[in-house]
Amino acid sequence: MNAPHAELLAQLRQTVGAAHVLTHDDPATDLSAWEQDWRKRAHGRALAVVRPGSTAEVAAVVSACAAAGASIVPQGGNTGLVVGSVPDASGTQVVLSLMRMNTVRAMDAANLTMTVEAGCILQNLQDTAEKAGFLFPLSLAAEGSCSIGGNLATNAGGTQVVRYGNARDLCLGLEVVTAQGEVWQGLSGLRKDNTGYDLRDLFIGSEGTLGVITAATLKLYPLPAAQLTAWAALPTLDAAVALLGLAHQHLGAGLTGFEVMGQFALSLVDKHMPQLRVPLWKDTPYCVLLENSDSESEDHARAQFERLLETAFEQGLVTDAVVAESLAQAHALWHIRESIPLAQAEEGLNIKHDISIPVSRIPAFCAETDALLQREIPGVRLVNFGHLGDGNLHYNVQAPEGGDAKKFLNEQETRVNTLVFDAVARYHGSISAEHGVGSLKADHLPHYKDPVALGLMRAVKQALDPHNLLNPGRVLTP
Ligand SMILES: Cc1cc2nc3c(=O)[nH]c(=O)nc-3n(C[C@H](O)[C@H](O)[C@H](O)COP(=O)(O)OP(=O)(O)OC[C@H]3O[C@@H](n4cnc5c(N)ncnc54)[C@H](O)[C@@H]3O)c2cc1C
């Protein structure tokens, strides 16, 4: 190890305690949990994994790294899907894990807010809010492992966006350690504050490239009196879009989830997880999962759902439907939806896209892009599902049946990405709806992002992190 690195490590050990600075010096220490991404596609090598326990320690770590010129990769639960939270292979980057900072600092019932540290696991925050009689509505399949800091740094979406918005919409204030090691105290619980540029919104979604989020003030909502889930079979994607419009009309703010699932996606769950008993999928090209959260009562929610589904049947939008009779049944239906990525992984390696398109144009986009891909790569299989309520599709591409998936990925990934992203651009969509850019999409961004926007982003990065120490190469390429 060179002298400056040894000096930096000594300083970091002094700052956070030797037990919280993990390095390869000790051959018994396995750093793969911090060095490898969730999909196991990227394997980096860190100079050290540093685990501070307070904002003051984070600030001291960032200052020490800045003085030594060592770049920093902030990390939460490491569940990100765009390779943004793991170090590169150089062995010179410091992984800054926030997971020891997991305290709920304050709960303000009258203001409907809670102030929490960045390393709090999302599911624990949902539980904390519920115990206090409130709902914290951010919800995604990784909620048992991901951190609120990571959720904010990626502006995570999930299944409730149609009603409550993205992570950005659920955050009122932030505490951030800047690239210079200063602490910005922006933990405001204010819903109105027009005193200049919105720094909070700048840091949210910046994927660790502008500052390290150490705490946040989050919005809380009243717990719904009832939450009902329905599963419907639909003849076309156009019908799904029409059903979404009808659901908005009938349920209003009660519509808290609207997920679409293509037949092939559900067939993979049926094949690899037969114990889950997927309903209605065999005779229909699409199924939809709807959630109605009601502030009155279960009877009211059920009556609303019945009226909605009756109208949908009359209009030919739905051919069959089931409404969950119990919470356990509702969870089972959601579990099927959330098992699609795992079923897909069981089927083999695949090419993932997290895209958004204006909802009204999704049927045309899918018809055109499905046909294009099948023409260009005969036998290719399309796993199409996602948060239709937000215009967000997970438009994934699986190798032809029986083919060598690894070879398919090596040979076709670049071509498939170009075909899909060009189609997204033609439909005025986004190549990253909710997962972010990371390093996986950083090279694509210059092709698809407005050049003026890209220039402004570079100017912001230059102003906030002039030495490019925070998560270099992520979001923006040099
Ligand atoms: C099974 C599964 C399902 C998923 N479903 C969804 C979904 O429905 N919607 C969705 O949006 N995402 C989803 N994701 C992606 C992922 O869970 C989210 O991106 C999540 O917000 C990441 O949180 P994390 O704590 O794991 O962050 P990490 O993976 O550790 O980091 C993600 C990014 O944020 C940065 N970062 C992390 N913490 C901080 C911090 N405190 N300050 C500054 N930067 C930081 C990192 O540098 C990195 O760039 C899913 C992932 C999995 C594995």
Side-chain angles (χ1 to χ4, degrees):
M1 183 178 303
N2 64 35
H5 280 166
E7 211 174 296
L8 172 62
L9 289 177
Q11 215 176 338
L12 295 175
R13 286 190 180 105
Q14 204 174 10
T15 304
V16 300
H20 301 302
V21 179
L22 313 177
T23 67
H24 288 282
D25 291 347
D26 175 3
T29 309
D30 178 9
L31 298 187
S32 56
W34 294 274
E35 291 179 332
Q36 177 174 268
D37 78 316
W38 190 82
R39 290 181 68 200
K40 299 190 172 51
R41 287 190 71 174
H43 310 266
R45 187 175 171 86
L47 172 66
V49 174
V50 183
R51 307 174 72 235
S54 68
T55 302
E57 287 184 8
V58 174
V61 168
V62 173
S63 297
C65 290
S71 57
I72 296 168
V73 181
Q75 192 183 88
N78 198 17
T79 67
L81 297 175
V82 289
V83 192
S85 51
V86 289
D88 65 19
S90 65
T92 62
Q93 296 192 311
V94 172
V95 172
L96 178 57
S97 168
L98 278 296
M99 297 310 277
R100 280 182 64 227
M101 290 187 61
N102 55 12
T103 304
V104 174
R105 290 188 188 166
M107 180 76 76
D108 184 341
N111 198 42
L112 285 172
T113 52
M114 62 177 169
T115 296
V116 308
E117 291 185 341
C120 291
I121 301 267
L122 174 57
Q123 197 169 48
N124 294 345
L125 293 181
Q126 295 165 347
D127 293 346
T128 304
E130 193 174 335
K131 276 191 200 117
F134 297 107
L135 173 75
F136 180 60
L138 188 66
S139 176
L140 42 135
E143 62 200 21
S145 315
C146 63
S147 68
I148 191 67
N151 300 148
L152 291 164
T154 57
N155 186 25
T159 55
Q160 306 266 302
V161 175
V162 67
R163 162 73 176 89
Y164 299 102
N166 295 306
R168 182 188 301 287
D169 301 295
L170 299 169
C171 178
L172 292 175
L174 287 181
E175 179 186 87
V176 173
V177 171
T178 68
Q180 294 73 34
E182 292 173 319
V183 180
W184 170 48
Q185 269 304 346
L187 284 177
S188 155
L190 300 177
R191 284 169 171 80
K192 289 188 166 180
D193 178 10
N194 280 350
T195 53
Y197 307 138
D198 196 330
L199 299 176
R200 174 198 58 191
D201 273 355
L202 203 54
F203 288 110
I204 294 175
S206 66
E207 300 181 47
T209 63
L210 299 181
V212 181
I213 297 170
T214 47
T217 301
L218 305 171
K219 283 187 199 168
L220 297 172
Y221 288 83
L223 277 170
Q227 245 175 344
L228 281 193
T229 303
W231 182 284
L234 289 90
T236 61
L237 211 41
D238 283 300
V241 172
L243 179 65
L244 174 64
L246 212 57
H248 276 304
Q249 262 175 30
H250 279 252
L251 309 179
L255 179 65
T256 47
F258 195 99
E259 301 285 310
V260 72
M261 296 153 287
Q263 188 182 42
F264 181 60
L266 291 175
S267 79
L268 293 181
V269 179
D270 184 71
K271 177 176 168 186
H272 296 289
M273 297 154 185
Q275 74 282 7
L276 295 188
R277 314 253 284 275
V278 184
L280 309 182
W281 70 274
K282 279 199 175 124
D283 305 314
T284 189
Y286 291 99
C287 286
V288 158
L289 186 62
L290 301 100
E291 187 181 76
N292 182 15
S293 299
D294 194 281
S295 55
E296 276 189 48
S297 65
E298 184 169 335
D299 285 349
H300 184 256
R302 210 168 275 283
Q304 268 190 326
F305 243 171
E306 277 164 14
R307 273 197 300 278
L308 164 66
L309 289 171
E310 258 170 45
T311 314
F313 273 115
E314 278 163 21
Q315 296 184 6
L317 303 178
V318 165
T319 52
D320 206 349
V322 289
V323 178
E325 289 297 327
S326 63
L327 208 56
Q329 266 184 22
H331 285 156
L333 292 176
W334 275 105
H335 188 49
I336 293 169
R337 155 65 185 87
E338 281 163 1
S339 299
I340 295 174
L342 215 57
Q344 230 197 311
E346 291 285 319
E347 183 71 5
L349 290 171
N350 54 79
I351 305 168
K352 290 194 190 301
H353 304 107
D354 161 45
I355 57 173
S356 66
I357 305 282
V359 173
S360 54
R361 308 200 71 198
I362 280 183
F365 168 85
C366 287
E368 184 183 313
T369 315
D370 289 5
L372 176 70
L373 286 169
Q374 274 152 356
R375 202 167 54 237
E376 293 287 324
I377 311 166
V380 82
R381 297 175 296 164
L382 301 170
V383 183
N384 200 343
F385 64 100
H387 318 296
L388 187 70
D390 328 320
N392 177 190
L393 289 182
H394 298 307
Y395 188 86
N396 300 341
V397 180
Q398 200 99 28
E401 182 139 36
D404 178 342
K406 204 165 179 186
K407 188 161 169 265
F408 171 75
L409 236 67
N410 284 340
E411 289 174 359
Q412 302 288 1
E413 187 163 15
T414 306
R415 184 154 157 251
V416 166
N417 284 341
T418 304
L419 290 170
V420 173
F421 291 159
D422 284 357
V424 168
R426 283 197 297 281
Y427 279 81
H428 305 292
S430 167
I431 63 165
S432 177
E434 60 176 9
H435 293 163
V437 177
S439 35
L440 203 65
K441 294 182 186 165
D443 286 338
H444 295 288
L445 212 58
H447 299 287
Y448 299 104
K449 190 92 186 164
D450 175 88
V452 176
L454 209 60
L456 292 170
M457 283 168 63
R458 287 192 196 287
V460 169
K461 172 74 176 171
Q462 175 65 25
L464 268 59
D465 180 20
H467 303 297
N468 199 18
L469 292 176
L470 292 176
N471 228 356
R474 273 67 202 261
V475 183
L476 293 170
T477 46

Short mmCIF file of all heavy atoms in Angstrom, two decimals, residues 427-464:
data_model
loop_
_atom_site.label_atom_id
_atom_site.label_comp_id
_atom_site.label_asym_id
_atom_site.label_seq_id
_atom_site.Cartn_x
_atom_site.Cartn_y
_atom_site.Cartn_z
N TYR A 427 -40.89 8.05 -28.68
CA TYR A 427 -42.16 8.24 -27.95
C TYR A 427 -42.02 9.28 -26.83
O TYR A 427 -42.87 9.37 -25.95
CB TYR A 427 -42.64 6.89 -27.40
CG TYR A 427 -43.35 6.07 -28.46
CD1 TYR A 427 -42.63 5.33 -29.39
CD2 TYR A 427 -44.74 6.09 -28.56
CE1 TYR A 427 -43.27 4.59 -30.38
CE2 TYR A 427 -45.39 5.36 -29.54
CZ TYR A 427 -44.66 4.62 -30.44
OH TYR A 427 -45.31 3.90 -31.42
N HIS A 428 -40.93 10.06 -26.85
CA HIS A 428 -40.71 11.11 -25.85
C HIS A 428 -40.74 10.57 -24.43
O HIS A 428 -41.32 11.18 -23.52
CB HIS A 428 -41.73 12.25 -26.02
CG HIS A 428 -41.74 12.81 -27.41
ND1 HIS A 428 -40.67 13.52 -27.92
CD2 HIS A 428 -42.65 12.72 -28.41
CE1 HIS A 428 -40.94 13.86 -29.17
NE2 HIS A 428 -42.12 13.37 -29.50
N GLY A 429 -40.12 9.40 -24.26
CA GLY A 429 -40.07 8.80 -22.92
C GLY A 429 -38.72 9.00 -22.28
O GLY A 429 -37.90 9.81 -22.72
N SER A 430 -38.47 8.24 -21.21
CA SER A 430 -37.19 8.32 -20.49
C SER A 430 -36.55 6.93 -20.43
O SER A 430 -37.25 5.93 -20.21
CB SER A 430 -37.41 8.84 -19.07
OG SER A 430 -36.24 8.63 -18.31
N ILE A 431 -35.22 6.87 -20.58
CA ILE A 431 -34.53 5.57 -20.55
C ILE A 431 -34.30 5.11 -19.11
O ILE A 431 -33.84 4.00 -18.89
CB ILE A 431 -33.19 5.59 -21.33
CG1 ILE A 431 -32.19 6.57 -20.69
CG2 ILE A 431 -33.42 5.92 -22.80
CD1 ILE A 431 -30.76 6.37 -21.17
N SER A 432 -34.60 5.96 -18.13
CA SER A 432 -34.58 5.50 -16.74
C SER A 432 -35.76 6.11 -16.00
O SER A 432 -35.76 7.32 -15.72
CB SER A 432 -33.28 5.88 -16.03
OG SER A 432 -33.39 5.47 -14.68
N ALA A 433 -36.74 5.29 -15.67
CA ALA A 433 -37.93 5.83 -15.00
C ALA A 433 -37.69 5.97 -13.51
O ALA A 433 -37.98 7.00 -12.92
CB ALA A 433 -39.12 4.91 -15.25
N GLU A 434 -37.16 4.90 -12.87
CA GLU A 434 -37.05 4.95 -11.41
C GLU A 434 -35.75 4.38 -10.86
O GLU A 434 -35.43 4.58 -9.70
CB GLU A 434 -38.24 4.23 -10.75
CG GLU A 434 -38.36 2.75 -11.13
CD GLU A 434 -39.47 2.02 -10.40
OE1 GLU A 434 -40.28 2.67 -9.72
OE2 GLU A 434 -39.54 0.78 -10.53
N HIS A 435 -34.97 3.66 -11.64
CA HIS A 435 -33.76 3.03 -11.09
C HIS A 435 -32.56 3.95 -11.09
O HIS A 435 -31.61 3.72 -10.36
CB HIS A 435 -33.42 1.75 -11.86
CG HIS A 435 -34.44 0.66 -11.68
ND1 HIS A 435 -34.54 -0.42 -12.51
CD2 HIS A 435 -35.43 0.51 -10.76
CE1 HIS A 435 -35.54 -1.20 -12.10
NE2 HIS A 435 -36.09 -0.64 -11.05
N GLY A 436 -32.57 4.98 -11.93
CA GLY A 436 -31.45 5.90 -12.01
C GLY A 436 -30.53 5.57 -13.18
O GLY A 436 -30.87 4.75 -14.05
N VAL A 437 -29.35 6.20 -13.17
CA VAL A 437 -28.42 6.08 -14.29
C VAL A 437 -27.20 5.23 -13.90
O VAL A 437 -26.78 4.34 -14.65
CB VAL A 437 -27.95 7.50 -14.73
CG1 VAL A 437 -26.93 7.42 -15.86
CG2 VAL A 437 -29.15 8.33 -15.19
N GLY A 438 -26.64 5.50 -12.71
CA GLY A 438 -25.48 4.75 -12.24
C GLY A 438 -24.38 4.75 -13.27
O GLY A 438 -24.15 5.73 -13.98
N SER A 439 -23.64 3.61 -13.36
CA SER A 439 -22.70 3.52 -14.47
C SER A 439 -23.29 2.72 -15.62
O SER A 439 -22.79 2.79 -16.74
CB SER A 439 -21.35 2.94 -14.03
OG SER A 439 -21.50 1.98 -13.05
N LEU A 440 -24.39 2.01 -15.33
CA LEU A 440 -24.98 1.16 -16.37
C LEU A 440 -25.50 1.98 -17.56
O LEU A 440 -25.40 1.58 -18.71
CB LEU A 440 -26.13 0.36 -15.75
CG LEU A 440 -26.53 -0.92 -16.46
CD1 LEU A 440 -25.39 -1.93 -16.41
CD2 LEU A 440 -27.77 -1.52 -15.80
N LYS A 441 -26.06 3.15 -17.26
CA LYS A 441 -26.66 3.96 -18.33
C LYS A 441 -25.91 5.27 -18.58
O LYS A 441 -26.38 6.10 -19.37
CB LYS A 441 -28.13 4.25 -18.01
CG LYS A 441 -28.98 2.99 -18.01
CD LYS A 441 -30.43 3.28 -17.74
CE LYS A 441 -31.21 1.98 -17.60
NZ LYS A 441 -32.52 2.20 -16.99
N ALA A 442 -24.79 5.46 -17.88
CA ALA A 442 -24.08 6.75 -18.00
C ALA A 442 -23.64 7.00 -19.44
O ALA A 442 -23.70 8.14 -19.92
CB ALA A 442 -22.89 6.78 -17.05
N ASP A 443 -23.22 5.95 -20.15
CA ASP A 443 -22.78 6.15 -21.53
C ASP A 443 -23.94 6.46 -22.47
O ASP A 443 -23.75 7.03 -23.54
CB ASP A 443 -22.05 4.89 -22.05
CG ASP A 443 -20.67 4.77 -21.44
OD1 ASP A 443 -20.13 5.81 -21.00
OD2 ASP A 443 -20.14 3.64 -21.37
N HIS A 444 -25.13 6.01 -22.08
CA HIS A 444 -26.30 6.25 -22.95
C HIS A 444 -26.84 7.67 -22.81
O HIS A 444 -27.47 8.19 -23.71
CB HIS A 444 -27.43 5.27 -22.60
CG HIS A 444 -27.11 3.85 -22.88
ND1 HIS A 444 -27.02 3.35 -24.15
CD2 HIS A 444 -26.83 2.82 -22.06
CE1 HIS A 444 -26.71 2.06 -24.10
NE2 HIS A 444 -26.58 1.72 -22.85
N LEU A 445 -26.62 8.26 -21.62
CA LEU A 445 -27.28 9.53 -21.32
C LEU A 445 -27.01 10.62 -22.37
O LEU A 445 -27.95 11.30 -22.81
CB LEU A 445 -26.87 10.01 -19.92
CG LEU A 445 -27.93 10.80 -19.18
CD1 LEU A 445 -29.21 10.01 -19.01
CD2 LEU A 445 -27.42 11.29 -17.84
N PRO A 446 -25.74 10.80 -22.80
CA PRO A 446 -25.49 11.86 -23.78
C PRO A 446 -26.28 11.69 -25.08
O PRO A 446 -26.56 12.67 -25.77
CB PRO A 446 -23.98 11.74 -24.05
CG PRO A 446 -23.44 11.09 -22.83
CD PRO A 446 -24.50 10.16 -22.34
N HIS A 447 -26.67 10.46 -25.41
CA HIS A 447 -27.43 10.25 -26.65
C HIS A 447 -28.90 10.61 -26.49
O HIS A 447 -29.59 10.89 -27.46
CB HIS A 447 -27.35 8.79 -27.10
CG HIS A 447 -25.95 8.35 -27.39
ND1 HIS A 447 -25.27 8.77 -28.51
CD2 HIS A 447 -25.10 7.56 -26.70
CE1 HIS A 447 -24.06 8.25 -28.50
NE2 HIS A 447 -23.93 7.52 -27.41
N TYR A 448 -29.42 10.50 -25.26
CA TYR A 448 -30.87 10.60 -25.10
C TYR A 448 -31.32 11.80 -24.25
O TYR A 448 -32.49 12.11 -24.21
CB TYR A 448 -31.41 9.30 -24.49
CG TYR A 448 -31.14 8.12 -25.40
CD1 TYR A 448 -30.14 7.20 -25.12
CD2 TYR A 448 -31.87 7.94 -26.58
CE1 TYR A 448 -29.87 6.14 -25.97
CE2 TYR A 448 -31.61 6.88 -27.43
CZ TYR A 448 -30.61 5.99 -27.12
OH TYR A 448 -30.35 4.95 -27.98
N LYS A 449 -30.38 12.45 -23.58
CA LYS A 449 -30.77 13.59 -22.73
C LYS A 449 -30.61 14.87 -23.54
O LYS A 449 -29.68 15.01 -24.34
CB LYS A 449 -29.82 13.61 -21.51
CG LYS A 449 -30.22 14.57 -20.42
CD LYS A 449 -31.09 13.93 -19.38
CE LYS A 449 -31.58 14.97 -18.39
NZ LYS A 449 -32.69 14.47 -17.59
N ASP A 450 -31.49 15.80 -23.31
CA ASP A 450 -31.40 17.10 -23.97
C ASP A 450 -30.02 17.70 -23.71
O ASP A 450 -29.55 17.75 -22.56
CB ASP A 450 -32.49 18.01 -23.38
CG ASP A 450 -32.40 19.42 -23.92
OD1 ASP A 450 -33.00 19.67 -24.96
OD2 ASP A 450 -31.70 20.25 -23.28
N PRO A 451 -29.31 18.16 -24.76
CA PRO A 451 -27.93 18.64 -24.57
C PRO A 451 -27.82 19.84 -23.63
O PRO A 451 -26.83 19.97 -22.90
CB PRO A 451 -27.46 19.01 -25.99
CG PRO A 451 -28.67 18.95 -26.86
CD PRO A 451 -29.72 18.15 -26.17
N VAL A 452 -28.83 20.68 -23.64
CA VAL A 452 -28.78 21.83 -22.71
C VAL A 452 -28.90 21.33 -21.27
O VAL A 452 -28.15 21.76 -20.38
CB VAL A 452 -29.89 22.85 -23.05
CG1 VAL A 452 -29.90 23.98 -22.03
CG2 VAL A 452 -29.70 23.39 -24.46
N ALA A 453 -29.82 20.38 -21.06
CA ALA A 453 -29.97 19.81 -19.71
C ALA A 453 -28.67 19.16 -19.26
O ALA A 453 -28.24 19.34 -18.11
CB ALA A 453 -31.09 18.77 -19.71
N LEU A 454 -28.03 18.44 -20.16
CA LEU A 454 -26.77 17.77 -19.83
C LEU A 454 -25.68 18.78 -19.46
O LEU A 454 -24.93 18.59 -18.50
CB LEU A 454 -26.34 16.93 -21.05
CG LEU A 454 -25.52 15.69 -20.77
CD1 LEU A 454 -26.27 14.71 -19.88
CD2 LEU A 454 -25.18 15.00 -22.10
N GLY A 455 -25.64 19.88 -20.20
CA GLY A 455 -24.67 20.94 -19.90
C GLY A 455 -24.92 21.54 -18.53
O GLY A 455 -23.98 21.78 -17.75
N LEU A 456 -26.19 21.77 -18.20
CA LEU A 456 -26.52 22.32 -16.88
C LEU A 456 -26.15 21.34 -15.78
O LEU A 456 -25.63 21.72 -14.72
CB LEU A 456 -28.01 22.66 -16.81
CG LEU A 456 -28.47 23.83 -17.70
CD1 LEU A 456 -29.99 23.93 -17.73
CD2 LEU A 456 -27.87 25.15 -17.21
N MET A 457 -26.39 20.03 -16.03
CA MET A 457 -26.03 19.01 -15.04
C MET A 457 -24.52 19.02 -14.80
O MET A 457 -24.05 18.94 -13.65
CB MET A 457 -26.47 17.62 -15.52
CG MET A 457 -27.97 17.37 -15.35
SD MET A 457 -28.57 15.91 -16.21
CE MET A 457 -27.67 14.59 -15.41
N ARG A 458 -23.74 19.14 -15.87
CA ARG A 458 -22.28 19.17 -15.72
C ARG A 458 -21.85 20.41 -14.92
O ARG A 458 -20.94 20.35 -14.09
CB ARG A 458 -21.60 19.19 -17.09
CG ARG A 458 -21.68 17.86 -17.81
CD ARG A 458 -20.76 17.82 -19.04
NE ARG A 458 -21.10 16.72 -19.91
CZ ARG A 458 -20.85 15.44 -19.64
NH1 ARG A 458 -20.25 15.11 -18.51
NH2 ARG A 458 -21.21 14.49 -20.49
N ALA A 459 -22.53 21.54 -15.17
CA ALA A 459 -22.19 22.77 -14.45
C ALA A 459 -22.49 22.62 -12.95
O ALA A 459 -21.71 23.07 -12.10
CB ALA A 459 -22.97 23.95 -15.03
N VAL A 460 -23.60 21.97 -12.64
CA VAL A 460 -23.95 21.75 -11.23
C VAL A 460 -22.91 20.85 -10.57
O VAL A 460 -22.42 21.13 -9.46
CB VAL A 460 -25.37 21.11 -11.12
CG1 VAL A 460 -25.64 20.64 -9.70
CG2 VAL A 460 -26.44 22.10 -11.56
N LYS A 461 -22.55 19.77 -11.26
CA LYS A 461 -21.54 18.85 -10.71
C LYS A 461 -20.21 19.60 -10.46
O LYS A 461 -19.59 19.45 -9.41
CB LYS A 461 -21.34 17.69 -11.69
CG LYS A 461 -20.20 16.74 -11.38
CD LYS A 461 -20.49 15.81 -10.21
CE LYS A 461 -19.35 14.82 -9.99
NZ LYS A 461 -19.51 14.05 -8.75
N GLN A 462 -19.82 20.39 -11.43
CA GLN A 462 -18.57 21.15 -11.32
C GLN A 462 -18.62 22.11 -10.12
O GLN A 462 -17.64 22.26 -9.38
CB GLN A 462 -18.32 21.90 -12.64
CG GLN A 462 -17.12 22.83 -12.66
CD GLN A 462 -15.79 22.08 -12.53
OE1 GLN A 462 -15.71 20.90 -12.87
NE2 GLN A 462 -14.77 22.73 -11.99
N ALA A 463 -19.79 22.73 -9.92
CA ALA A 463 -19.91 23.70 -8.83
C ALA A 463 -19.89 23.02 -7.46
O ALA A 463 -19.28 23.52 -6.53
CB ALA A 463 -21.21 24.49 -8.99
N LEU A 464 -20.55 21.87 -7.36
CA LEU A 464 -20.69 21.23 -6.05
C LEU A 464 -19.54 20.27 -5.73
O LEU A 464 -19.21 20.06 -4.56
CB LEU A 464 -22.03 20.48 -5.95
CG LEU A 464 -23.20 21.30 -5.38
CD1 LEU A 464 -23.48 22.53 -6.19
CD2 LEU A 464 -24.42 20.44 -5.22
#
